Amino acid sequence: MTEISERRVISVIVINESSVLSRITDLFSARGYNITSLTVAPIPETKYSRLTIVTSGSVRVIEQITKQLHKLIPVLRVYEHADLVEKEMAMIKFPVTENITEISTLCEAYNGKIVNVGENVIIVMVTDEPKRVENFLKVIKRYNPKEIVRSGAVALER
Amino acid sequence: MQISGAQMVIEALIAEGVDTVFGYPGGAIMNVYDEIYKQDNFQHILTRHEQAAVHAAEGYSKVSGKVGVAMITSGPGFTNAVTGLADAYMDSIPLVVISGQVPMSLIGTDAFQEIDAVGISRSCTKHNYLVTNASDLPRVLKEAFHIAATGRPGPVHVDIPKDVTAEIAEFDYSIKVDLETYKPHVKGNPRQIKKAIEAIANAKRPVFYLGGGIINANAAYEVRDLVHKTGIPAVETFMARGTLSHDDDLLIGMLGMHGSYAANMAMSETDLVIGLGARFDDRVTGKLSEFAKNAGVIHVDIDPASISKLVHANYPIVGDVKNVVNEILDSVSKINADKYEGWRETIENFEELHPLAYHEDTDRIKPQWVIERVGQLLGDDANISTDVGQHQMWSGQFYPFSRPRQFISSGGLGTMGFGFPAAIGVKAAMPEKTSINFTGDGSILMNCQELMTAVEKKLPVINIILNNNYLGMVRQWQTLFYDKRHSETDLSVQPDFVKLSEAFGGIGYRVKTKEEFDAALKDAVEKNIVAFIEVIVERLENVLPMVPSGGSLFNMMLLEKKEK
């Protein structure tokens, strides 16, 4: 049972100093753990940054990941989330020749909108749960997206 | 006090009570070496290779319990030292290794002797620093010593660009280390300890599984008290040798791949493993699913990541093993001496069935005899280092260790070339004891240049080279698992080890008989100079018992019985 691999979101609070990000990513590569996505930004008015790491592994692997992360000297706290609010942003570029009305309507269904209109392309953004973002990206395939960028997930415990 | 970065390094080392630094100068670290020249508060031992400097610092640290210090230059100086860092990391040895770096203005330009040192050392140190301002140095150095020595100990690397060592800044070493992100758990959870004590009371066939963490935590004598108070038999890992004295009735022996039959069988039959400062290494457990299959597991370790990493712990206790053992000692009642009589009898039967032994059935000296013999002649008066290979396992099996920190060997990383420089560090830290390095004809050539260091600094290490003209351990595996295809392990072509030692100003002996060996060892000890004693031993001797890699502990290849 413990060997089933599951998707997990881990938040890590670290001292905001040089090379701290490499310490985290080196740990994952050195021990053969996966990083599905990783976001990082400073926490306002502190010397800390918050990383949100989406990873996967068995219960045992996830336990090791959190323990190993905690062992790193600049790591203050590691949260392995169970009950959380999780959001991700995606921006997509479409040719203006596509059906903008339909795209716009779809965007609204996924907490999004058109954020830029150019001569040849429009850019839309959506912000939603990672699974829904995934779904959105499937749905808009037929409008020939030229470029897609995803932010990776950020999460907060409920 | 306004001083240069280089002076700060010296002042910090003095303030930390460092009496010996091992190192090798070079361009980027020259400012610091200039300050070393001007001071006489600590001695600097010039090794002849940076790897040896770090191994010597490891030996120094392991035997003394203090933080070892090594100093090296940038680029190749640093990369040569990486093996030492990795070795210290695997065996949790507290070191501070200071390297020079190219000036800040040249970092990232592929400058002469530039390498991303902290990038490389990140994965083989407990922590590392690239110091970009001299004003950071007092804090960084103080943190480095603190981090190296506390919690699960380990090496800390401090990389200092050349211009930072020249920069003048304020030096105040009275600052307190304030690391809010680093607070090791040293006190075990009382509730967990209580549960563990109950488990011990309920166990019928418990075994202490003693690991190297006990030695690191200076807890061996407390562990001895606990073992004697409870009457529970104990096995030791390779790294824990000397925790119990070799003549302790409750010591079953070393367990693992080359552990004794009795130790491995006790581990397989036990109903409660009491793990103290051990990390369930693959060389210890064999096949995990069969390891101590029917047993509950108490696991005491300072490193939470070691607990339940490989074997699930029913009673996990994060804490300093010395604290936890003292807590248990206070609460555990003296157990009725008869309680484990049956269990101890079972173990004695294992011991009688397949004792740790070898056959003296060839003309050549058996390597095991040499180790036993040194044990008889020097025993407690020697500190023992080893290189890596067959001789290392025989040392673990056959030397009569009587105290913690007597045995210095590269356990986790298995670094050939470790033994001789480590023994130099051992001798520097504890000159009153004879420093023996058991080595092989393969390993000794990996740092034999250290003859020069030992001769120059009058650190009379006695290297006992068990020469079987093979890379013996690999040869053993090839014999057993590769149908005797001895690929690149035949070392028939060799230097003249006697002349090699003499060329550096040491003494050399080549012995083929037991009498010659006794005479050579006696002479080397009396003369008190650096020595190579080359012992021509049986070529094809195997280390037994042996649990084949990935096999179960109870499936051992054993010494064949001979009719008397």
Short mmCIF file of all heavy atoms in Angstrom, two decimals, chain B residues 372-402:
data_model
loop_
_atom_site.label_atom_id
_atom_site.label_comp_id
_atom_site.label_asym_id
_atom_site.label_seq_id
_atom_site.Cartn_x
_atom_site.Cartn_y
_atom_site.Cartn_z
N GLU B 372 45.09 -10.46 14.26
CA GLU B 372 45.00 -11.03 15.61
C GLU B 372 46.29 -10.82 16.38
O GLU B 372 46.29 -10.48 17.56
CB GLU B 372 44.73 -12.54 15.53
CG GLU B 372 43.27 -12.88 15.42
CD GLU B 372 43.05 -14.39 15.53
OE1 GLU B 372 43.99 -15.19 15.31
OE2 GLU B 372 41.92 -14.77 15.85
N ARG B 373 47.41 -11.02 15.68
CA ARG B 373 48.72 -10.94 16.32
C ARG B 373 49.00 -9.51 16.80
O ARG B 373 49.49 -9.31 17.92
CB ARG B 373 49.79 -11.41 15.33
CG ARG B 373 51.17 -11.53 15.92
CD ARG B 373 51.22 -12.63 16.97
NE ARG B 373 52.52 -12.70 17.60
CZ ARG B 373 52.74 -13.16 18.82
NH1 ARG B 373 51.73 -13.59 19.55
NH2 ARG B 373 53.95 -13.20 19.33
N VAL B 374 48.69 -8.55 15.97
CA VAL B 374 48.89 -7.15 16.38
C VAL B 374 48.00 -6.87 17.59
O VAL B 374 48.41 -6.20 18.54
CB VAL B 374 48.58 -6.17 15.23
CG1 VAL B 374 48.70 -4.73 15.70
CG2 VAL B 374 49.52 -6.42 14.05
N GLY B 375 46.81 -7.43 17.58
CA GLY B 375 45.92 -7.29 18.72
C GLY B 375 46.52 -7.87 19.99
O GLY B 375 46.45 -7.26 21.06
N GLN B 376 47.17 -9.05 19.85
CA GLN B 376 47.81 -9.67 21.02
C GLN B 376 48.97 -8.82 21.52
O GLN B 376 49.18 -8.65 22.72
CB GLN B 376 48.32 -11.07 20.68
CG GLN B 376 47.23 -12.11 20.52
CD GLN B 376 47.72 -13.34 19.76
OE1 GLN B 376 48.90 -13.45 19.41
NE2 GLN B 376 46.81 -14.25 19.48
N LEU B 377 49.76 -8.31 20.57
CA LEU B 377 50.99 -7.61 20.95
C LEU B 377 50.73 -6.18 21.41
O LEU B 377 51.38 -5.69 22.33
CB LEU B 377 51.99 -7.61 19.79
CG LEU B 377 52.52 -8.99 19.37
CD1 LEU B 377 53.39 -8.89 18.13
CD2 LEU B 377 53.30 -9.63 20.51
N LEU B 378 49.80 -5.49 20.75
CA LEU B 378 49.59 -4.07 21.06
C LEU B 378 48.25 -3.80 21.73
O LEU B 378 48.15 -2.91 22.58
CB LEU B 378 49.72 -3.21 19.80
CG LEU B 378 51.10 -3.26 19.11
CD1 LEU B 378 51.06 -2.45 17.82
CD2 LEU B 378 52.20 -2.76 20.03
N GLY B 379 47.23 -4.53 21.33
CA GLY B 379 45.91 -4.41 21.96
C GLY B 379 45.45 -2.98 22.13
O GLY B 379 45.33 -2.23 21.16
N ASP B 380 45.25 -2.62 23.37
CA ASP B 380 44.71 -1.31 23.70
C ASP B 380 45.71 -0.18 23.44
O ASP B 380 45.33 0.99 23.34
CB ASP B 380 44.31 -1.33 25.19
CG ASP B 380 43.63 -0.05 25.60
OD1 ASP B 380 42.63 0.30 24.94
OD2 ASP B 380 44.09 0.60 26.55
N ASP B 381 47.00 -0.52 23.33
CA ASP B 381 48.02 0.52 23.16
C ASP B 381 48.07 1.09 21.75
O ASP B 381 48.84 2.00 21.48
CB ASP B 381 49.42 -0.05 23.50
CG ASP B 381 49.55 -0.33 24.98
OD1 ASP B 381 48.85 0.34 25.75
OD2 ASP B 381 50.32 -1.23 25.34
N ALA B 382 47.29 0.52 20.86
CA ALA B 382 47.34 1.02 19.48
C ALA B 382 45.99 1.62 19.08
O ALA B 382 44.94 1.19 19.54
CB ALA B 382 47.69 -0.12 18.53
N ASN B 383 46.08 2.67 18.27
CA ASN B 383 44.90 3.11 17.52
C ASN B 383 45.01 2.49 16.14
O ASN B 383 46.09 2.46 15.54
CB ASN B 383 44.86 4.63 17.42
CG ASN B 383 44.46 5.26 18.73
OD1 ASN B 383 43.55 4.77 19.41
ND2 ASN B 383 45.12 6.34 19.11
N ILE B 384 43.89 2.01 15.65
CA ILE B 384 43.91 1.25 14.41
C ILE B 384 43.17 2.01 13.31
O ILE B 384 42.00 2.35 13.45
CB ILE B 384 43.20 -0.12 14.60
CG1 ILE B 384 43.86 -0.91 15.74
CG2 ILE B 384 43.19 -0.92 13.30
CD1 ILE B 384 45.31 -1.27 15.53
N SER B 385 43.89 2.28 12.21
CA SER B 385 43.23 2.80 11.02
C SER B 385 43.27 1.72 9.96
O SER B 385 44.09 0.81 10.05
CB SER B 385 43.94 4.03 10.47
OG SER B 385 44.35 4.87 11.50
N THR B 386 42.42 1.85 8.98
CA THR B 386 42.51 0.91 7.87
C THR B 386 42.26 1.63 6.55
O THR B 386 41.70 2.73 6.52
CB THR B 386 41.48 -0.24 7.94
OG1 THR B 386 40.21 0.26 7.50
CG2 THR B 386 41.35 -0.81 9.33
N ASP B 387 42.69 0.99 5.50
CA ASP B 387 42.25 1.38 4.17
C ASP B 387 40.97 0.62 3.86
O ASP B 387 40.23 0.30 4.78
CB ASP B 387 43.39 1.11 3.16
CG ASP B 387 44.22 2.38 2.96
OD1 ASP B 387 43.61 3.39 2.59
OD2 ASP B 387 45.44 2.35 3.16
N VAL B 388 40.76 0.32 2.59
CA VAL B 388 39.47 -0.28 2.22
C VAL B 388 39.68 -1.55 1.42
O VAL B 388 40.46 -1.57 0.47
CB VAL B 388 38.61 0.73 1.45
CG1 VAL B 388 37.39 0.06 0.84
CG2 VAL B 388 38.17 1.85 2.38
N GLY B 389 39.00 -2.58 1.84
CA GLY B 389 39.08 -3.85 1.14
C GLY B 389 39.06 -5.00 2.13
O GLY B 389 38.52 -4.87 3.23
N GLN B 390 39.65 -6.13 1.73
CA GLN B 390 39.62 -7.30 2.60
C GLN B 390 40.25 -7.04 3.97
O GLN B 390 39.70 -7.39 5.00
CB GLN B 390 40.36 -8.46 1.92
CG GLN B 390 39.62 -9.05 0.74
CD GLN B 390 40.35 -10.26 0.19
OE1 GLN B 390 41.55 -10.21 -0.07
NE2 GLN B 390 39.64 -11.36 0.01
N HIS B 391 41.44 -6.37 3.94
CA HIS B 391 42.14 -6.13 5.20
C HIS B 391 41.27 -5.33 6.16
O HIS B 391 41.33 -5.48 7.37
CB HIS B 391 43.45 -5.38 4.94
CG HIS B 391 43.22 -3.99 4.46
ND1 HIS B 391 43.09 -3.66 3.14
CD2 HIS B 391 43.04 -2.84 5.14
CE1 HIS B 391 42.86 -2.38 3.03
NE2 HIS B 391 42.82 -1.84 4.22
N GLN B 392 40.44 -4.47 5.58
CA GLN B 392 39.55 -3.62 6.40
C GLN B 392 38.52 -4.47 7.13
O GLN B 392 38.27 -4.30 8.33
CB GLN B 392 38.86 -2.62 5.47
CG GLN B 392 37.89 -1.68 6.14
CD GLN B 392 37.06 -0.90 5.13
OE1 GLN B 392 36.79 -1.38 4.03
NE2 GLN B 392 36.68 0.31 5.49
N MET B 393 37.93 -5.42 6.38
CA MET B 393 36.92 -6.29 7.00
C MET B 393 37.55 -7.21 8.03
O MET B 393 37.00 -7.43 9.11
CB MET B 393 36.21 -7.10 5.91
CG MET B 393 35.30 -6.27 5.03
SD MET B 393 34.03 -5.42 6.01
CE MET B 393 34.43 -3.72 5.72
N TRP B 394 38.73 -7.74 7.71
CA TRP B 394 39.41 -8.59 8.70
C TRP B 394 39.76 -7.78 9.95
O TRP B 394 39.70 -8.31 11.06
CB TRP B 394 40.68 -9.21 8.08
CG TRP B 394 40.37 -10.32 7.12
CD1 TRP B 394 39.44 -11.29 7.29
CD2 TRP B 394 41.00 -10.56 5.85
NE1 TRP B 394 39.44 -12.14 6.19
CE2 TRP B 394 40.39 -11.71 5.30
CE3 TRP B 394 42.01 -9.93 5.12
CZ2 TRP B 394 40.76 -12.24 4.06
CZ3 TRP B 394 42.38 -10.46 3.89
CH2 TRP B 394 41.76 -11.60 3.37
N SER B 395 40.12 -6.52 9.77
CA SER B 395 40.41 -5.68 10.95
C SER B 395 39.17 -5.55 11.81
O SER B 395 39.23 -5.67 13.04
CB SER B 395 40.88 -4.29 10.52
OG SER B 395 42.02 -4.37 9.70
N GLY B 396 38.02 -5.30 11.15
CA GLY B 396 36.77 -5.18 11.89
C GLY B 396 36.42 -6.48 12.60
O GLY B 396 35.87 -6.48 13.71
N GLN B 397 36.76 -7.60 11.96
CA GLN B 397 36.40 -8.90 12.54
C GLN B 397 37.35 -9.35 13.65
O GLN B 397 36.92 -9.86 14.68
CB GLN B 397 36.42 -9.99 11.45
CG GLN B 397 35.33 -9.88 10.41
CD GLN B 397 35.49 -10.95 9.33
OE1 GLN B 397 36.60 -11.36 9.00
NE2 GLN B 397 34.36 -11.38 8.77
N PHE B 398 38.66 -9.16 13.43
CA PHE B 398 39.63 -9.86 14.29
C PHE B 398 40.41 -8.99 15.26
O PHE B 398 41.09 -9.51 16.13
CB PHE B 398 40.62 -10.65 13.41
CG PHE B 398 40.00 -11.86 12.78
CD1 PHE B 398 39.52 -11.83 11.47
CD2 PHE B 398 39.85 -13.03 13.50
CE1 PHE B 398 38.93 -12.94 10.89
CE2 PHE B 398 39.27 -14.16 12.93
CZ PHE B 398 38.80 -14.11 11.62
N TYR B 399 40.35 -7.67 15.13
CA TYR B 399 41.12 -6.88 16.10
C TYR B 399 40.34 -6.79 17.41
O TYR B 399 39.13 -6.51 17.40
CB TYR B 399 41.44 -5.48 15.58
CG TYR B 399 42.58 -4.86 16.40
CD1 TYR B 399 43.89 -5.09 16.04
CD2 TYR B 399 42.32 -4.13 17.55
CE1 TYR B 399 44.94 -4.58 16.80
CE2 TYR B 399 43.36 -3.62 18.33
CZ TYR B 399 44.67 -3.85 17.94
OH TYR B 399 45.70 -3.37 18.70
N PRO B 400 41.01 -6.98 18.54
CA PRO B 400 40.32 -6.89 19.83
C PRO B 400 40.18 -5.44 20.31
O PRO B 400 40.97 -4.97 21.13
CB PRO B 400 41.23 -7.69 20.77
CG PRO B 400 42.61 -7.55 20.17
CD PRO B 400 42.42 -7.40 18.70
N PHE B 401 39.18 -4.75 19.80
CA PHE B 401 38.99 -3.34 20.19
C PHE B 401 38.49 -3.26 21.62
O PHE B 401 37.64 -4.05 22.03
CB PHE B 401 38.00 -2.65 19.25
CG PHE B 401 38.49 -2.62 17.84
CD1 PHE B 401 37.98 -3.50 16.89
CD2 PHE B 401 39.47 -1.73 17.45
CE1 PHE B 401 38.44 -3.51 15.58
CE2 PHE B 401 39.94 -1.73 16.14
CZ PHE B 401 39.42 -2.62 15.21
N SER B 402 39.03 -2.31 22.36
CA SER B 402 38.65 -2.24 23.76
C SER B 402 38.07 -0.89 24.16
O SER B 402 37.61 -0.73 25.27
CB SER B 402 39.87 -2.55 24.64
OG SER B 402 40.96 -1.75 24.23
#
